[in-house]
Amino acid sequence: AAERIRCEMLSAAGELAYLGGWMAFDDSEHALAKNHFTYAVKLASEANDSPLIGHVLRAMAHQSLDLGFSTEAYDLATASVEGDRYSKASFRERALLGVIHARSLAVRGENGRATSVLLQAEDDLSKASPQSSEPDRVFFFSEASLAHETACALRDLGDLPRADEKFQRSIELRDASKFTRTHAVTLGYLGAIKARQGEIDEACAVWSKCLDATQGVRSGRTRRVVSEMRATLLPLSKENEFARELEYMAVTYLADSWPS
């Protein structure tokens, strides 16, 4: 094929490999996800598609953050914003790369750099518009998404009040009917922030909404959020009836949603 067509085919194959990796990541099949992501990077490199390389490296960094591999997450996130992986990306994609980079800095305790990168991500997203030329793969990344990831960074920086505000902002902005899984995850994270601040009744109220949102959702990430919720609820359930009811609901969800 002509070089242009060959590169477009390789990029398309790279996006398919990325999509397979993200689906595996979402279902906690982490080895399979990493394998798919690695193939996606190779295909995108062969196509000389720098923004796609950055996008996949960002996904790999996100996976590493979830698994607690902070150094690996930092290395991958830093690589995702190097050179034309960032400069050739659309503004929406730049914001996505930037906010995950900020999260990788936050878990390392680099407060100043993390804050600076978060501000740049906000600025990048503000420049995106429906008329902008951007790849379909970033359709999901909205102000709600930015608020969610910013909240995660603030949480990891230890700024719980501002993380609380950003998670609530994300919940207010997101279309829960279209992004039910992410909505449930955000509610789970917000409940955990409330609990860490000693606001147990408020945490239980948020977690109740989270469990309602998870009904019918089969996702490794929602299972993980509910598992973490249950670990916090279990000691509280001895004295708090609401917590006891939620802990039972959490156990039921985990049993019903586990892959067969």
Side-chain angles (χ1 to χ4, degrees):
E3 184 63 17
R4 179 183 63 81
I5 295 174
R6 176 178 177 275
C7 287
E8 288 176 355
M9 292 174 68
L10 287 165
S11 288
E15 289 224 32
L16 285 171
Y18 156 74
L19 180 60
W22 189 261
M23 292 172 68
F25 165 47
D26 181 65
D27 209 31
S28 299
E29 296 283 349
H30 292 295
L32 181 62
K34 189 170 184 178
N35 188 49
H36 278 67
F37 287 149
T38 300
Y39 275 116
V41 170
K42 289 179 179 179
L43 287 161
S45 298
E46 183 69 17
N48 198 28
D49 189 339
S50 297
L52 179 56
I53 296 171
H55 189 86
V56 181
L57 290 172
R58 178 276 319 170
M60 297 175 79
H62 193 156
Q63 180 187 29
S64 294
L65 284 167
D66 275 18
L67 295 175
F69 301 141
S70 59
T71 299
E72 182 178 286
Y74 171 76
D75 291 342
L76 289 164
T78 300
S80 78
V81 295
E82 286 180 346
D84 54 10
R85 294 171 188 169
Y86 175 86
S87 64
K88 288 186 177 180
S90 68
F91 283 115
R92 190 177 307 277
E93 193 153 49
R94 289 183 190 184
L96 173 57
L97 301 181
V99 77
I100 298 302
H101 185 211
R103 285 189 58 189
S104 78
L105 291 165
V107 296
R108 290 163 61 89
E110 298 192 31
N111 298 35
R113 288 182 66 197
T115 300
S116 177
V117 174
L118 284 173
L119 291 172
Q120 182 61 54
E122 289 181 7
D123 185 57
D124 283 336
L125 188 59
S126 72
K127 295 175 182 176
S129 72
Q131 291 74 40
S132 302
S133 175
E134 56 187 27
D136 291 341
R137 62 179 175 260
V138 295
F139 82 96
F140 69 92
F141 194 74
S142 62
E143 288 187 46
S145 306
L146 180 63
H148 172 101
E149 299 297 350
T150 299
C152 289
L154 292 168
R155 175 197 62 197
D156 294 337
L157 288 172
D159 191 343
L160 301 186
R162 287 183 64 210
D164 187 311
E165 291 175 6
K166 288 293 185 179
F167 278 132
Q168 292 197 58
R169 175 69 173 160
S170 178
I171 291 163
E172 291 167 2
L173 291 173
R174 181 174 289 113
D175 183 346
S177 64
K178 291 183 179 179
F179 300 98
T180 306
R181 177 191 56 204
T182 309
H183 179 64
V185 171
T186 306
L187 286 166
Y189 288 171
L190 175 59
I193 292 292
K194 297 283 189 189
R196 286 175 63 182
Q197 295 181 103
E199 301 171 4
I200 302 304
D201 289 341
E202 291 86 347
C204 287
V206 173
W207 278 333
S208 178
K209 294 178 182 178
C210 171
L211 288 165
D212 287 343
T214 60
Q215 298 309 303
V217 176
R218 290 181 177 271
S219 163
R221 285 190 289 165
T222 55
R223 287 195 298 271
R224 178 176 177 178
V225 165
V226 174
S227 293
E228 292 171 351
M229 178 197 309
R230 188 192 172 214
T232 304
L233 286 168
L234 194 56
L236 299 172
S237 64
K238 297 176 181 178
E239 299 179 359
N240 187 308
E241 184 177 352
F242 194 6
R244 187 158 53 250
E245 292 175 1
L246 292 177
E247 198 270 334
Y248 175 76
M249 290 172 64
V251 170
T252 302
Y253 170 75
L254 291 171
D256 292 346
S257 67
W258 200 257
S260 56

